[in-house]
Amino acid sequence: MPDSSAIKTGSLSKDLEKGKFFESFTVLLHPKVKEECNKTRGGKREMARIADFSSIGRIRLIEAACEDMQLPADDLIVEGARRNNAIIYTGDKTMYATSNSKNMFCLKSV
């Protein structure tokens, strides 16, 4: 489950172009992340690139179900990952610390 920082930096799409670490993964997209990415031109472009990789079968893209959108964004993503038994992928130091403090496995992009 990537957060908006991991998508906006392009680390996911860059990996799928060259490194292929994330190839064949199921990527859960939280509605809050989608909302945040659609507010910026770079976020929209990266979402389109990720959707392209999904359409050719390199990844499986699924929108995660969300029950309560009233929590802060970081907490929403952590709880969504916990409910779906997912790994959090982030480029944000605060999100990394938040997810680790709640005993969630987290990958940090550089």
Side-chain angles (χ1 to χ4, degrees), residues 46-82:
E46 284 304 314
M47 291 292 290
R49 291 178 71 192
I50 292 168
D52 289 344
F53 287 115
S54 176
S55 69
I56 61 174
R58 300 275 304 278
I59 59 171
R60 197 169 155 228
L61 188 60
I62 298 174
E63 188 164 337
C66 182
E67 296 173 8
D68 182 20
M69 293 288 279
Q70 302 304 316
L71 297 172
D74 288 355
D75 292 335
L76 281 172
I77 295 165
V78 169
E79 288 309 310
R82 182 183 313 281

Side-chain angles (χ1 to χ4, degrees), residues 14-50:
K14 288 174 188 172
D15 175 76
L16 289 166
E17 282 180 353
K18 298 175 183 164
K20 300 180 183 170
F21 174 80
F22 291 107
E23 190 168 13
S24 301
F25 274 46
T26 297
V27 177
L28 293 172
L29 187 62
H30 194 281
K32 185 66 173 180
V33 172
K34 186 177 176 182
E35 177 185 311
E36 289 176 353
C37 289
N38 283 331
K39 289 181 181 178
T40 64
R41 187 177 5 199
K44 287 179 188 177
R45 184 175 50 246
E46 284 304 314
M47 291 292 290
R49 291 178 71 192
I50 292 168

